[in-house]
Amino acid sequence: MRPRFARTGSSFLQDIASASTEEPRIAATGSRQGSWTLAVGVFLVALALVSPHRLLTMGLTTAGLTLVLLGAFLSLRHFLLAQRRENELAVIGDFIRRDATPSVITNAEGRIVGGNPAAARQYDLQAHPTLAGALQGAFANPGAILYRLQTHAHGTGSAQEDVFTRSGHVQISVHEVTENAYVWRIEKIAERAGPKAVQESQLLPMIMVGRTDAILFMNDAARALAGGRIKGIDRLFTSLPVEPGTVTQITTPEGRRDVMVVEVPAGAGRRALYVLPPPAQSSVPTGTAHGWQAFQDLPVPLIKIAPDGTVQSFNRMAATLIGVALAKDVHLSHLMEGLGRSIGDWITDTLDSRVAQKSEFLRLRRTDMEAYVQVVLNRITEGGKSALIAVLHDATELKTLEAQFVQSQKMQAIGQLAGGVAHDFNNLLTAISGHCDLLLLRHDQSDPDYGDLVQINQNANRAASLVGQLLAFSRKQTLRLETIDMRDTLADLTHLLNRLVGEKITLTLSHDPMLKPVRADKRQLEQVLMNLVVNARDAMPAGGEIRITTEYVELAEPLERDRVTVPSGAYVAVRVSDDGAGISPDKLQKVFEPFYTTKRTGEGTGLGLSTAYGIVKQSSGYIFVDSVLGQGTTFVLYFPVYETKPPKPADPAVSRALAPAAHEDGVILLVEDEAPVRAFASRALRLRGYTVLEADSAETALKTLEDETLNIDVFVTDVIMPGMDGPSWVREALKHRPDVRVVFVSGYAEDSFGEEQTKIPNSVFLPKPFSLTDLTETVQSQLH
């Protein structure tokens, strides 16, 4: 009987086909469904032929023909799928049979289904039912490796990994042929010598160590030093664990020797140990293979430091990392900073062994870039004198990620604070501006107090605008979204922008004729454009040109920049460019932070760009900035195109009904926990002629509604209150009074409870602070 692993191409097809149990089951199910559907269809057609009733005959015929067509489609689809699968398996089977690399076929459980002649010659596949068992003699832990590769291949279709085995370097690859069939290839890779660009590095002993301290690889210099290939570092080093940067002893054929070990992470839990001569041998002339100068070509930055903190020597990697400032006799404090204490004290404590050996993160004093290093100081003795070896690691990327995380946490905290403060301020401003409106009703322009009241009202509005900026930054502002044309918006704004920029600066507008509408809050969008133009103006005190261009952009692929991904689609891009002084790279990342400004005290609040950022993001847009020192700055805004249907013409009758009236009738239930706001709102509604019932909580309002004789027309309620909130008590009240309309008021944004509001019929939202006119007109519109 022929062995199962030396087969023909057709046998391989059978192996792969038998390995997949799921696909045949699905295919067989599809075939049975097609046959049954076809049979039922034929039966219905036959039944229609013998039916005496005409309508029944027509119904049976229609249903039967439909099922016949459906059954034929399912059967044809099953045939085509089976044919395609058979062709694919034929190609795969022929390739495996001819492959000179050992190839094995397994099912999802790892059991061997077949293998090519090369695999049968190299591994004892007959004696082991699973691939893990067959590879047990060549791999230390084949089960874990195979499981990891198969899991990855199940998700991506294929996977490969390089493994150092007892017999050498092996590459294992796996391909998922079907859901239950995997093809494995086990290919030996010849050992390749390291790069030979520098002759000295070929003579530097290097040992690759795994997680369990097993030696995975030794170069020629390391084998010569140890007297041959060894399996564990305990056979080489006299004491474990090996401490990098310190002098330790190793066992060689000539006896014990003092060496210094430098460790370099190699990924996947592996370490590369470089064996250097001890510092005491630094007097050996440069250029000899065993001199201290050998550390010049180590792939890790090293600096030798004297007890007074001055640099004695360094290697090429350190010079590349630190820059031109690194030189002999330069003090370490002139190269880096940010320790939190004196670098001299740190060096002294390390020399006196008063502190544990640990890494410190320091910032390099480089003017050309922002760079950080992780530094470990190792104490050594050289000729009876102490010195330090500083092992450096580039930590710029790590510190950048850390800074981004801290920045996101800070922005989130400021956003929460802004939202909370804005809510309280909106209540205060509602009471201030509201009572001011009431006073203005009782005074005419000839009254001596009228000017003071106007000033109070104007400053209350300015305070409300400032609170709106805080809410815009924290993206909690209520936006009145509408479909707008960017050209019309800029045309309406041109006169005001020209007044803002002054006579020294030219404002140029350029529009794309193919521009499409976007959806945004027109008033807030105007605020964004004004902020950008004002910043551009301030960047050119001597005059210049500000260019505003609009463009229709279609992104075929997502746009990635500044750690942000703009999805593909159609956008309207707005660019605001100037020829000013520009922004330095270290400040460019902070321009959207609140209260951050490069202007002098009194010239800016630092809220303009943060407000613009919040408004753009809340409008589902994106904002980016590009700047070059001495050449100018460009802000780019992307707004997604909003396709709309033509609006329906307004009903003239409705328009007349919504016209403001001098006196109204109606009963209003006012629920507000803030007494000053409640007092203003009730007086404002009573002045319009409404009957107002007041409640300071939701529970009091429900208690009031227990009187069934009360006729309530409108609920005016705060959203956030102690105890039961606004939407909750309104839903409870509407169970017994379903026709009452609702006006929600809140100092928070509408979208903070927008989903709750949509569930309540006949409800509208009125943001705080609101004026007397805003309140009465909103209530009137609900009544009519």
Side-chain angles (χ1 to χ4, degrees):
M1 182 176 179
R2 293 175 62 189
R4 58 171 177 161
F5 303 109
R7 300 191 175 191
T8 62
S10 61
S11 300
F12 274 99
L13 295 181
Q14 296 170 5
D15 290 337
I16 299 174
S18 63
S20 177
T21 58
E22 185 68 16
E23 287 193 6
R25 182 181 65 81
I26 296 174
T29 302
S31 177
R32 288 196 299 270
Q33 288 176 348
S35 301
W36 277 105
T37 305
L38 190 62
V40 172
V42 173
F43 174 75
L44 291 179
V45 171
L47 192 62
L49 295 176
V50 299
S51 174
H53 301 287
R54 183 181 178 185
L55 290 178
L56 182 60
T57 299
M58 292 176 62
L60 291 174
T61 302
T62 303
L65 291 176
T66 301
L67 291 175
V68 167
L69 292 174
L70 179 60
F73 170 75
L74 291 175
S75 299
L76 178 61
R77 178 174 176 272
H78 160 70
F79 173 76
L80 293 176
L81 287 175
Q83 188 68 32
R84 186 180 68 179
R85 182 171 173 273
E86 183 177 347
N87 293 338
E88 291 174 349
L89 293 179
V91 175
I92 295 172
D94 189 58
F95 172 77
I96 294 174
R97 181 176 61 83
R98 299 172 182 272
D99 193 1
T101 300
S103 302
V104 179
I105 308 165
T106 68
N107 58 16
E109 289 75 30
R111 301 186 68 85
I112 297 175
V113 178
N116 65 356
R121 287 192 299 268
Q122 188 159 344
Y123 302 102
D124 190 6
L125 303 183
Q126 294 280 9
H128 300 280
T130 63
L131 181 58
L135 300 179
Q136 193 70 39
F139 291 78
N141 187 13
I145 299 172
L146 297 179
Y147 175 77
R148 183 167 61 249
L149 288 171
Q150 183 171 319
T151 302
H152 190 268
H154 183 67
T156 61
S158 65
Q160 70 175 25
E161 186 172 323
D162 292 348
V163 181
F164 290 94
T165 68
R166 299 183 180 93
S167 57
H169 186 188
V170 175
Q171 184 183 77
I172 303 179
S173 60
V174 58
H175 295 265
E176 184 182 32
V177 182
T178 66
E179 279 194 32
N180 200 37
Y182 296 86
V183 176
W184 300 82
R185 300 179 75 246
I186 307 159
E187 182 178 5
K188 281 192 174 182
I189 300 177
E191 296 286 355
R192 294 189 296 269
K196 301 182 182 299
V198 183
Q199 185 175 2
E200 292 85 0
S201 64
Q202 301 171 19
L203 303 176
L204 194 64
M206 191 276 288
I207 302 170
M208 186 68 67
V209 182
R211 290 189 179 92
T212 61
D213 286 345
I215 294 179
L216 306 176
F217 170 75
M218 298 175 68
N219 66 359
D220 294 338
R223 293 181 184 180
L225 180 66
R229 181 77 163 84
I230 55 178
K231 296 183 178 181
I233 60 174
D234 56 339
R235 302 288 185 89
L236 180 63
F237 294 95
T238 58
S239 61
L240 296 176
V242 178
E243 295 185 6
T246 61
V247 177
T248 186
Q249 284 190 335
I250 62 172
T251 303
T252 69
E254 291 80 20
R256 294 189 175 186
R257 287 182 54 182
D258 290 336
V259 297
M260 191 178 80
V261 179
V262 175
E263 178 182 306
V264 179
R270 296 174 293 180
R271 300 169 294 154
L273 301 181
Y274 290 86
V275 181
L276 299 177
Q281 299 181 12
S282 60
S283 59
V284 179
T286 301
T288 59
H290 303 289
W292 173 250
Q293 200 65 21
F295 86 129
Q296 277 291 337
D297 299 303
L298 272 177
V300 60
L302 297 174
I303 302 176
K304 185 180 177 183
I305 304 171
D308 61 354
T310 58
V311 175
Q312 290 184 337
S313 60
F314 51 89
N315 66 354
R316 295 188 183 95
M317 285 290 291
T320 302
L321 177 60
I322 297 180
V324 295
L326 181 58
K328 193 174 180 181
D329 297 330
V330 173
H331 197 275
L332 193 63
S333 61
H334 295 160
L335 303 175
M336 51 194 73
E337 62 184 356
L339 183 63
R341 57 173 176 148
S342 170
I343 287 183
D345 292 343
W346 179 38
I347 292 174
T348 302
D349 290 343
T350 305
L351 288 171
D352 296 340
S353 301
R354 287 198 295 264
V355 294
Q357 184 187 36
K358 65 176 183 178
S359 60
E360 298 285 356
F361 288 91
L362 301 175
R363 180 182 179 274
L364 294 180
R365 294 179 180 268
R366 295 187 62 159
T367 57
D368 58 333
M369 61 181 292
E370 188 93 359
Y372 294 86
V373 290
Q374 183 181 10
V375 185
V376 180
L377 292 183
N378 300 280
R379 181 176 178 273
I380 62 173
T381 302
E382 186 177 24
K385 296 181 180 180
S386 296
L388 292 172
I389 297 295
V391 182
L392 283 65
H393 177 70
D394 189 355
T396 303
E397 184 176 357
L398 176 64
K399 295 298 288 184
T400 301
L401 292 174
E402 180 184 345
Q404 291 172 7
F405 175 75
V406 172
Q407 176 69 8
S408 67
Q409 294 291 96
K410 182 176 70 174
M411 299 289 273
Q412 182 181 2
I414 293 177
Q416 292 176 347
L417 176 63
V421 170
H423 170 258
D424 293 337
F425 263 82
N426 280 332
N427 278 325
L428 296 174
L429 292 171
T430 301
I432 293 171
S433 61
H435 284 92
C436 187
D437 288 342
L438 292 174
L439 287 172
L440 285 170
L441 291 177
R442 300 201 301 268
H443 294 74
D444 56 27
Q445 295 185 7
S446 61
D447 195 298
D449 296 331
Y450 188 83
D452 295 334
L453 293 174
V454 170
Q455 284 294 323
I456 294 173
N457 189 270
Q458 289 179 351
N459 283 280
N461 290 335
R462 288 182 60 189
S465 176
L466 181 61
V467 173
Q469 286 183 312
L470 288 173
L471 285 172
F473 154 70
S474 58
R475 304 185 212 172
K476 295 180 180 178
Q477 184 174 218
T478 299
L479 297 182
R480 302 300 182 187
L481 298 178
E482 57 180 308
T483 304
I484 61 176
D485 189 310
M486 197 65 69
R487 289 170 296 193
D488 296 339
T489 301
L490 286 170
D492 297 340
L493 201 59
T494 301
H495 179 66
L496 178 59
L497 293 179
N498 279 319
R499 290 179 57 189
L500 283 175
V501 299
E503 298 178 355
K504 294 182 180 180
I505 295 176
T506 304
L507 183 66
T508 305
L509 279 74
S510 176
H511 297 302
D512 188 337
M514 302 299 294
L515 219 54
K516 294 190 177 182
V518 299
R519 188 163 176 80
D521 186 320
K522 183 176 181 181
R523 183 173 59 87
Q524 297 296 335
L525 182 58
E526 290 175 349
Q527 181 69 37
V528 170
L529 295 172
M530 287 171 58
N531 287 342
L532 296 178
V533 169
V534 167
N535 281 343
R537 177 202 66 188
D538 294 342
M540 298 184 295
E545 182 184 11
I546 299 175
R547 296 171 297 279
I548 303 178
T549 60
T550 59
E551 181 183 6
Y552 173 70
V553 178
E554 285 191 2
L555 298 179
E557 298 179 353
L559 172 65
E560 296 185 3
R561 58 166 297 181
D562 300 345
R563 303 185 300 277
V564 175
T565 301
V566 182
S568 57
Y571 293 87
V572 171
V574 182
R575 288 179 173 83
V576 181
S577 306
D578 64 67
D579 301 324
I583 307 171
S584 60
D586 59 324
K587 297 177 181 178
L588 198 61
Q589 300 175 355
K590 303 177 182 179
V591 295
F592 295 118
E593 292 185 16
F595 310 112
Y596 178 81
T597 178
T598 57
K599 301 176 184 178
R600 291 178 294 182
T601 304
E603 293 185 355
T605 61
L607 284 174
L609 289 179
S610 62
T611 300
Y613 179 84
I615 293 172
V616 170
K617 297 300 291 184
Q618 199 173 357
S619 304
S620 302
Y622 301 85
I623 182 169
F624 303 104
V625 57
D626 297 299
S627 185
V628 179
L629 279 175
Q631 298 183 19
T633 303
T634 299
F635 285 89
V636 185
L637 288 70
Y638 289 93
F639 293 97
V641 168
Y642 186 78
E643 300 290 350
T644 59
K645 298 179 180 178
K648 296 181 179 179
D651 189 352
V654 175
S655 301
R656 287 193 301 271
L658 292 179
H663 196 81
E664 293 289 340
D665 293 323
V667 180
I668 312 298
L669 177 57
L670 174 64
V671 186
E672 172 63 61
D673 63 306
E674 290 284 340
V677 178
R678 188 172 66 250
F680 151 65
S682 63
R683 287 183 58 189
L685 292 172
R686 288 191 178 102
L687 284 174
R688 181 54 66 90
Y690 297 114
T691 301
V692 181
L693 303 177
E694 298 182 32
D696 60 357
S697 67
E699 291 78 9
T700 304
L702 292 175
K703 188 72 175 176
T704 303
L705 292 176
E706 291 180 0
D707 185 357
E708 297 181 357
T709 61
L710 282 177
N711 252 341
I712 307 295
D713 297 305
V714 178
F715 295 147
V716 179
T717 176
D718 195 5
V719 176
I720 307 298
M721 296 181 292
M724 188 180 294
D725 61 19
S728 299
W729 84 260
V730 168
R731 279 195 298 269
E732 187 68 25
L734 290 179
K735 293 179 181 178
H736 306 287
R737 300 171 184 265
D739 298 328
V740 179
R741 294 179 173 270
V742 185
V743 176
F744 287 110
V745 296
S746 178
Y748 290 107
E750 182 178 8
D751 58 3
S752 61
F753 75 108
E755 187 176 349
E756 295 292 331
Q757 182 193 339
T758 56
K759 298 178 182 177
I760 298 176
N762 302 322
S763 64
V764 295
F765 179 76
L766 178 64
K768 295 179 181 177
F770 51 80
S771 66
L772 184 150
T773 305
D774 293 335
L775 176 62
T776 54
E777 286 185 352
T778 303
V779 172
Q780 179 198 2
S781 66
Q782 283 293 80
L783 279 172
H784 294 283

